[in-house]
Amino acid sequence: MPLDLMQTLAAFNLVHFWALVLAFAILIYGLLDGFDLGVGILFGFNADPVQRDQMMQTIEPVWDGNETWLVVVGTVLFAAFPAAYAIFLSAFYLPVVILLGALILRGVSMEFRGRSGRLRGLWSGCFSGGSLVATFVQGTAIGALVEGIDISNGEYAGGAWDWLSPFALLGGFGLVAGYALLGAGWLVLKTRGGLREWSYRWLPRLMVLTVACVLASFIWTLMGSMDISHRWADSPEWVMVPLVLVLLGAGGLALSVRQRRDRLAYPMAAMIFIAAFCAFIFSFWPWILPGDLRFYQAAAPPASLQFLFYGAGLVVLPVVLIYTVGVYWIFRGKSRPIDP
């Protein structure tokens, strides 16, 4: 086989490898940072000071490690798909700035809240507000991405506020509901007593709200995009598999609430989240920017992908993955109760 053909095939495989890594990192970030942002959102609806401390205690060992996966997402996008990174940042500059500001405020408030006396209420509000804003802008950005962005000659050609649309706002509300659902499932898994029962009461209403937002987004997308309609009509299994997963997740959550099965709530909430993510991937693969840019078009040169593979792919990613598994193994089980 000629050398240049082998190099072309190797580069093509590396594009798929980094596309899979990007999808995996986005999914893990959503599942892990999703529940601790969800705990932050629910934090604002719980007035009991002891239960608030318990909520904070459940995420303190893991929240910063969870956000490492957001760094992985940004790094892979920047290094492996620079063309998509440039267009994405130009189109979503404001949401990214708001997201980073909200995450910084949230992290600072978690540290200051535990050491503050008179300003404890202020830092509690910053923690909950930062969690809510960070989640909402993530959802609006995803919604705007699904709706499509204005690209001309390989560059973003839209305005600074084009990401704000009714469909994007629906995405924002949907992600707030979804992360809060993950958060409630996490609290059921990690706590006992009054906070556990409080979280169980939130699960059914959050499940209904999340499923409603997922179905509304599905119908809206179906009515607004003929390309996706044709793709789903040609391959109905691509939409049936996520729908079955949503129904299984909703049924499992109902069973968890009814029989008080603590270990079932979070995995079932995660299944609904994974179903929505699969629907997104099935609908747009192999596009990295739906309708405008495919993965291989946005990929870095073969030499850069190869260098990235030997550095980040074989060393950094396994270390991050092992660290994540190790932290969750060490802090497994219920959190210790807090004395009132």
Side-chain angles (χ1 to χ4, degrees):
M1 185 178 291
L3 182 61
D4 55 346
L5 179 57
M6 291 180 64
Q7 290 174 336
T8 302
L9 289 174
F12 187 72
N13 288 331
L14 282 176
V15 171
H16 282 83
F17 171 79
W18 285 112
L20 290 174
V21 169
L22 182 62
F24 177 75
I26 292 172
L27 178 61
I28 294 298
Y29 170 76
L31 291 176
L32 299 185
D33 208 32
F35 78 71
D36 74 54
L37 285 169
V39 169
I41 294 168
L42 291 172
F43 185 91
F45 294 91
N46 193 327
D48 187 307
V50 176
Q51 290 187 5
R52 281 188 158 196
D53 288 343
Q54 286 180 307
M55 295 171 82
M56 195 71 81
Q57 187 188 52
T58 64
I59 61 172
E60 279 176 344
V62 295
W63 73 273
D64 47 355
N66 293 343
E67 291 185 356
T68 302
W69 287 98
L70 184 61
V71 177
V72 173
V73 171
T75 303
V76 172
L77 196 60
F78 170 76
F81 304 104
Y85 179 85
I87 295 172
F88 181 86
L89 269 194
S90 300
F92 299 105
Y93 181 79
L94 283 176
V96 169
V97 170
I98 295 171
L99 169 65
L100 294 179
L103 290 177
I104 291 170
L105 177 65
R106 181 174 179 269
V108 170
S109 65
M110 290 178 72
E111 297 295 330
F112 282 21
R113 180 182 175 274
R115 295 167 174 78
S116 180
R118 290 183 302 172
L119 297 179
R120 190 177 177 86
L122 173 65
W123 292 118
S124 294
C126 290
F127 170 64
S128 186
S131 302
L132 179 64
V133 171
T135 303
F136 188 74
V137 292
Q138 285 182 30
T140 55
I142 294 170
L145 200 60
V146 171
E147 202 170 27
I149 55 179
D150 190 6
I151 297 177
S152 177
N153 297 322
E155 297 180 353
Y156 177 62
W161 295 96
D162 284 8
W163 56 279
L164 267 182
S165 68
F167 184 79
L169 293 176
L170 174 63
F173 287 119
L175 198 63
V176 168
Y179 278 4
L181 179 67
L182 289 173
W186 179 255
L187 291 175
V188 164
L189 180 68
K190 298 294 289 183
T191 62
R192 300 181 176 89
L195 179 56
R196 171 177 169 271
E197 287 303 313
W198 182 87
S199 305
Y200 264 124
R201 289 196 294 274
W202 273 94
L203 276 175
R205 64 190 81 167
L206 289 171
M207 180 186 70
V208 171
L209 190 58
T210 301
V211 173
C213 287
V214 170
L215 292 179
S217 300
F218 171 78
I219 295 170
W220 198 325
T221 304
L222 195 62
M223 296 173 63
S225 174
M226 293 307 296
D227 291 341
I228 295 178
S229 303
H230 292 154
R231 171 172 283 206
W232 287 348
D234 293 338
S235 304
E237 68 276 8
W238 286 16
V239 68
M240 291 306 298
V241 170
L243 282 177
V244 169
L245 288 177
V246 167
L247 293 176
L248 286 175
L253 265 177
L255 182 67
S256 170
V257 173
R258 184 181 178 85
Q259 299 184 359
R260 292 296 191 263
R261 295 191 179 185
D262 295 359
R263 294 184 177 181
L264 194 59
Y266 178 77
M268 293 299 104
M271 185 180 292
I272 296 175
F273 190 91
I274 292 171
F277 184 78
C278 288
F280 179 83
I281 295 294
F282 290 165
S283 300
F284 295 109
W285 178 265
W287 301 93
I288 187 170
L289 294 177
D292 291 300
L293 199 65
R294 298 174 190 265
F295 276 99
Y296 76 86
Q297 294 172 316
S304 299
L305 292 178
Q306 199 167 32
F307 177 78
L308 191 63
F309 174 76
Y310 288 117
L314 295 184
V315 179
V316 177
L317 275 175
V319 169
V320 174
L321 199 55
I322 291 170
Y323 171 80
T324 302
V325 173
V327 167
Y328 280 90
W329 175 256
I330 291 170
F331 293 99
R332 66 189 182 279
K334 298 280 187 182
S335 298
R336 289 180 300 177
I338 296 176
D339 295 330

